[in-house]
Amino acid sequence: MLLTMKVAFRNILRQKKRSFLLAGAIAFGMLVITLMNALTGGVVGNIRENFSHALGGHIFIMGREWTDAGQMIMKIRPDERLEQLLEEHGAQIEGFTRRSQAMPTMIFGSRQTMQMLYGVDFAEETKLLESLIVTEGSFSEIGTEEASIILPQPVGERLGVQVGETMIIRLETLTGQQNVGEVKVVAFIKDQEELGLSAAYTSRSYLNTLLGMDPHEYQLLNMFLTDLDMVDEFARVFREGLRAEDEEEEVVEAEPAVSVTVAGMPMDPMTEREELTPWEGTRYQIMHINQIMEAVELVVGVLNRVGQVIFLILLVVTMVGITNTFRMIMIERTKEIGTMRAFGMHQKQVKNIFLWEAVFLGLLGCIAGLFLALVISFIVGGIELNTDPSMQFFLDNGKITFIFSLTKVVFNTAIVVFISLLAAYWPARAAAKMSPIKALSSHT
Amino acid sequence: MNKMRFLSAALVLCFLAAGFVVPAKAQDFSHIEAILERLDRQSRFENTDFSSVLTMVVEDQEKGIEKMVVRQFRRDDGERFLLLIQEPITEKGQGYLLEGDNLWFYDPSSRQFAHTSLKETFQGSDARNADFGSNSYSSSYEVEGYLEGTLGNFEVYIIDLKAVDDTVPFPFVKLWVTKDSDLVLKTEEYSLTYRLMRTGLYPKYTKVGNVVIPVQMIFVDELVEGNKTQISVSEISVNDIPDHVFTKAYIERVNR
């Protein structure tokens, strides 16, 4: 066995140019499929990460209830069931936020603009303040001045307002009544509009007052989990734990009221009015990041399949080349085969030499392809791209990310080796079956 | 004594300076409520349909001045109206259809109806969708207080109203209603935090049968400096409007 492997490896080195071209063809195929898999893997990871940040979590809980006037509003009241679930699963929750939100018109003088506004409990969300990059002003007044606001820098510039000045916010209460508040601008922050993260922040209790809610109420509970693999299970546990007794099981796919929002704007605008029968108390909607990622993963799956087909076509072409090459090798080595057979080498050993050559060629091609893929991904991944803001959602801080999957690499290598073996099988069998006498008397 | 006289004179002067406003008798709102009922009744076409053309001039400090022409069809019996935008050309064909409690907005570019609300602003102007129907002061608001005063040459009641529920966009409204003819000359609409948001002026009225409608309306945005909308009503008709006009199919058909 070791001998046949040694002979096979030596044979590859005997015809370096030919081996280089064959392995090069395999390497190219491996390079394409590896880069494609790594790129799609990276894109999925980046979209998931960017979505999580844009939406503020991996699991999103919203509460709905009916007013006495028959109007459905979105709010969450203090609820023992929810608190208990949070406590029970605290170990798996990296962090959670309870926020109110609105899309008010911000007015300063004759200028106005609409801007996503989050009502935040600043004492609870210390990580938020740490993550915001202040360009002007400071957060020192946040704790003392309830009617204060942190504005994205471009919004401040659009309005012409300065830090320390007071501006007006016009919004609707949960039931649709007009309301107006005055807020003091305490700081400008770096905008992350390209990631859908352009948001202003004020204290939750103040925003609640304007929205017509009690200070301890909120609209969204977003959770970051320690392990993303638990998202589906976690959502199921919360969905079941928060379901009212008379509430039917939520069919997630067919739920018309579920509307994912990025920066407060619905991604799937509801064109028809939803007809619902009013209920008592609060009913919860639980969404998770995987639901949002389903569409993305579908597209990525198609891309990966297209890549796999291209890879297989390349391999088939290479296989034809390998078969032809091995047929030529067989003819070139007819006398050599005859000599080996005359010295007592078995048919199987001759066949194995050819097959091992094919395996080594395939493996060398795969290693070269993987190495090239790593080099290219390292170079390309280091370049910071100033692309269209919408493209930033696919990138990690402006850079393309490549995520290599060991499973896919092993799978693709196995395919390459298998196809190389298949391509070399018939020439190898023909070589093994060759009569030693005929082979030695051959003129080739 | 002189001091007392001075104080009395100062008090009178204060009242005079406040627009000749004299406080009314305490807490007797029945005649004011009757006025509100009359205001609602006289704004409502009970037995006839109503159609007109609305010419709107929207002044926006950032966007400039824009003219809009809107065809209005109203059938108050059944709470229906249809507003079809005819100008500007970019918005031509867009329509608002009120069917009872449901207000639909139609966009011909997407050929879809979307649910909207009477509380929303009309096409980014200072008018609200609710401004194009009949009044409902007596059912939507309760009287908080009133004063007697003058507005220009007119003797008016200045009535403070508070919404009875959340169905109206403005929780607090102040009305200037003429004493002799029950015409609303001016409105001030306030937010939940009691901040003045919009002033409405109604300088011209016309009588159509038993109904009195303003033919000129000016809405001033009190939050954004310089923003206001003027609406002129013309081509008024009380002829019967076919039933099919108040349907979604009609809006779609006029856009073909």
Side-chain angles (χ1 to χ4, degrees):
Chain A
M1 172 85 162
L2 200 65
L3 179 73
T4 48
M5 282 171 77
K6 259 171 101 174
V7 174
F9 196 72
R10 190 206 61 195
N11 283 346
I12 285 177
L13 298 178
R14 273 165 66 185
Q15 288 287 338
K16 287 190 181 75
K17 198 173 174 183
R18 189 161 60 195
S19 299
F20 176 79
L21 287 172
L22 268 179
I26 294 168
F28 181 69
M30 193 66 182
L31 168 73
V32 170
I33 190 69
T34 309
L35 276 181
M36 193 155 227
N37 285 341
L39 183 67
T40 51
V43 164
V44 170
N46 288 340
I47 293 175
R48 192 189 299 273
E49 192 68 19
N50 290 330
F51 257 125
S52 295
H53 277 108
L55 300 172
H58 299 134
I59 306 252
F60 318 103
I61 302 180
M62 290 159 275
R64 298 184 296 172
E65 63 177 61
W66 292 88
T67 63
D68 293 339
Q71 197 176 354
M72 195 175 71
I73 56 170
M74 290 192 68
K75 76 170 171 185
I76 301 176
R77 295 168 188 274
D79 186 334
E80 270 183 31
R81 288 177 303 165
L82 186 53
E83 295 304 323
Q84 197 178 335
L85 281 168
L86 289 172
E87 202 178 310
E88 279 171 15
H89 299 88
Q92 290 97 47
I93 301 170
E94 195 180 307
F96 61 84
T97 59
R98 299 171 213 252
R99 292 181 180 179
S100 299
Q101 63 175 22
M103 188 63 122
T105 304
M106 302 195 168
I107 302 164
F108 187 72
S110 61
R111 295 187 189 180
Q112 56 180 323
T113 186
M114 287 184 84
Q115 173 64 40
M116 185 67 201
L117 176 64
Y118 283 118
V120 174
D121 183 341
F122 289 111
E124 202 177 66
E125 284 197 46
T126 47
K127 276 187 183 172
L128 172 74
L129 294 180
E130 285 165 19
S131 70
L132 299 175
I133 301 162
V134 180
T135 54
E136 206 181 322
S138 76
F139 297 148
S140 57
E141 283 182 65
I142 283 288
T144 53
E145 183 96 32
E146 195 188 46
S148 54
I149 194 166
I150 300 168
L151 273 187
Q153 176 96 30
V155 176
E157 285 166 7
R158 224 174 293 153
L159 291 170
V161 67
Q162 299 293 324
V163 169
E165 288 184 313
T166 301
M167 53 177 257
I168 294 169
I169 53 173
R170 178 174 66 200
L171 44 68
E172 285 182 1
T173 63
L174 291 189
T175 53
Q177 287 197 306
Q178 294 294 308
N179 212 355
V180 178
E182 276 189 4
V183 283
K184 185 180 172 186
V185 181
V186 291
F188 287 149
I189 51 170
K190 195 178 169 193
D191 195 33
Q192 289 176 289
E193 209 163 31
E194 67 273 12
L195 295 179
L197 293 173
S198 177
Y201 300 91
T202 188
S203 77
R204 195 176 75 203
S205 56
Y206 181 66
L207 184 59
N208 281 5
T209 311
L210 296 179
L211 288 170
M213 292 161 68
D214 289 340
H216 51 276
E217 292 172 342
Y218 52 98
Q219 290 181 295
L220 294 166
L221 193 147
N222 295 351
M223 282 184 272
F224 280 102
L225 303 187
T226 50
D227 184 0
L228 263 175
D229 293 337
M230 291 163 55
V231 165
D232 291 285
E233 176 61 14
F234 224 76
R236 191 189 60 77
V237 168
F238 272 73
R239 206 171 278 140
E240 282 177 9
L242 294 171
R243 190 183 299 140
E245 280 174 19
D246 58 338
E247 191 178 348
E248 286 172 22
E249 193 166 343
E250 189 180 354
V251 183
V252 176
E253 288 77 13
E255 178 59 80
V258 170
S259 181
V260 180
T261 59
V262 173
M265 295 302 286
M267 289 168 67
D268 48 346
M270 198 163 56
T271 52
E272 293 292 323
R273 194 184 192 192
E274 190 187 3
E275 294 297 338
L276 291 170
T277 313
W279 57 78
E280 288 288 320
T282 307
R283 282 193 180 177
Y284 293 93
Q285 281 187 307
I286 291 106
M287 289 197 65
H288 54 82
I289 194 77
N290 289 353
Q291 282 173 276
I292 299 154
M293 291 301 295
E294 269 170 19
V296 177
E297 277 171 357
L298 198 73
V299 174
V300 166
V302 171
L303 272 176
N304 276 338
R305 273 185 207 102
V306 169
Q308 208 74 43
V309 168
I310 293 169
F311 178 55
L312 284 174
I313 291 168
L314 281 170
L315 283 184
V316 167
V317 172
T318 313
M319 185 180 158
V320 172
I322 291 172
T323 308
N324 280 334
T325 310
F326 272 79
R327 281 169 66 89
M328 277 170 59
I329 290 170
M330 186 191 77
I331 294 162
E332 279 170 16
R333 296 187 198 155
T334 304
K335 275 193 172 171
E336 193 181 317
I337 292 165
T339 311
M340 286 192 292
R341 294 279 285 116
F343 276 101
M345 189 173 264
H346 297 294
Q347 281 187 357
K348 199 180 170 186
Q349 283 175 304
V350 174
K351 191 169 85 177
N352 282 349
I353 288 172
F354 275 77
L355 294 179
W356 275 116
E357 273 187 58
V359 169
F360 286 138
L361 266 176
L363 283 175
L364 282 171
C366 284
I367 291 165
L370 277 172
F371 177 74
L372 281 173
L374 282 170
V375 171
I376 289 171
S377 64
F378 181 75
I379 294 167
V380 176
I383 301 167
E384 198 162 326
L385 304 169
N386 291 317
T387 57
D388 188 73
S390 58
M391 283 297 291
Q392 294 294 327
F393 233 84
F394 301 96
L395 307 174
D396 177 19
N397 290 322
K399 291 177 182 174
I400 298 174
T401 310
F402 294 90
I403 295 176
F404 293 92
S405 157
L406 185 66
T407 319
K408 281 182 181 164
V409 167
V410 170
F411 177 72
N412 290 333
T413 307
I415 287 180
V416 168
V417 171
F418 174 73
I419 285 184
S420 304
L421 276 172
L422 204 67
Y425 180 76
W426 284 277
R429 201 176 69 160
K433 281 188 175 175
M434 211 178 271
S435 156
I437 299 161
K438 276 187 183 174
L440 284 168
S441 60
S442 165
H443 295 290
T444 53
Chain B
M1 193 64 184
N2 278 346
K3 202 173 179 180
M4 283 297 283
R5 263 190 210 156
F6 175 76
L7 275 173
S8 304
L11 208 61
V12 170
L13 275 172
C14 280
F15 279 122
L16 289 172
F20 298 97
V21 172
V22 180
K25 284 172 192 170
Q27 305 302 310
D28 180 17
F29 300 144
S30 56
H31 67 294
I32 298 296
E33 284 159 1
I35 290 171
L36 295 182
E37 279 170 22
R38 285 203 295 277
L39 285 176
D40 289 353
R41 210 165 37 242
Q42 72 185 19
S43 74
R44 206 174 157 78
F45 291 90
E46 286 292 353
N47 302 311
T48 59
D49 291 334
F50 170 76
S51 64
S52 68
V53 171
L54 308 171
T55 306
M56 303 172 70
V57 179
V58 184
E59 290 179 40
D60 187 301
Q61 288 300 296
E62 288 185 278
K63 294 176 195 161
I65 297 173
E66 188 186 25
K67 184 188 162 199
M68 294 175 78
V69 177
V70 181
R71 186 91 209 176
Q72 180 189 29
F73 302 96
R74 244 173 86 177
R75 180 175 288 170
D76 292 344
D77 186 15
E79 304 300 330
R80 288 165 181 269
F81 73 55
L82 172 66
L83 301 168
L84 272 177
I85 296 168
Q86 297 181 322
E87 282 182 43
I89 201 79
T90 50
E91 284 156 29
K92 190 176 179 180
Q94 291 181 2
Y96 291 79
L97 176 68
L98 178 73
E99 294 175 310
D101 291 335
N102 291 324
L103 180 63
W104 300 97
F105 169 70
Y106 180 75
D107 183 3
S109 59
S110 65
R111 294 181 184 178
Q112 282 195 324
F113 286 89
H115 193 262
T116 182
S117 159
L118 284 168
K119 296 174 185 172
E120 300 288 325
T121 55
F122 180 80
Q123 294 284 308
S125 71
D126 301 296
R128 291 192 177 265
N129 297 330
D131 295 328
F132 302 104
S134 56
N135 296 331
S136 60
Y137 291 124
S138 61
S139 57
S140 303
Y141 291 93
E142 60 187 16
V143 181
E144 283 244 295
Y146 75 96
L147 299 167
E148 291 174 16
T150 57
L151 184 69
N153 296 325
F154 297 95
E155 295 269 315
V156 291
Y157 288 112
I158 304 163
I159 307 167
D160 283 311
L161 300 176
K162 184 185 175 187
V164 292
D165 54 32
D166 300 336
T167 55
V168 285
F170 296 103
F172 302 100
V173 173
K174 196 176 268 196
L175 300 178
W176 278 254
V177 185
T178 54
K179 279 184 175 177
D180 55 350
S181 51
D182 293 336
L183 295 177
V184 178
L185 295 184
K186 182 182 172 184
T187 57
E188 280 184 354
E189 288 151 320
Y190 294 83
S191 72
L192 200 61
T193 49
Y194 211 79
R195 182 170 180 127
L196 178 59
M197 294 187 73
R198 191 177 77 154
T199 299
L201 302 166
Y202 307 85
K204 277 188 194 168
Y205 276 87
T206 189
K207 194 161 187 183
V208 188
N210 294 324
V211 180
V212 182
I213 56 159
V215 287
Q216 196 177 358
M217 293 173 267
I218 301 162
F219 297 110
V220 181
D221 188 333
E222 298 291 355
L223 298 177
V224 186
E225 287 170 19
N227 282 12
K228 69 175 177 183
T229 299
Q230 284 190 59
I231 303 174
S232 306
V233 185
S234 59
E235 296 181 38
I236 291 167
S237 165
V238 286
N239 292 338
D240 283 351
I241 299 166
D243 291 346
H244 68 262
V245 169
F246 300 102
T247 59
K248 288 180 179 177
Y250 179 74
I251 307 180
E252 287 172 320
R253 204 167 70 227
V254 293
N255 275 292
R256 278 187 203 136

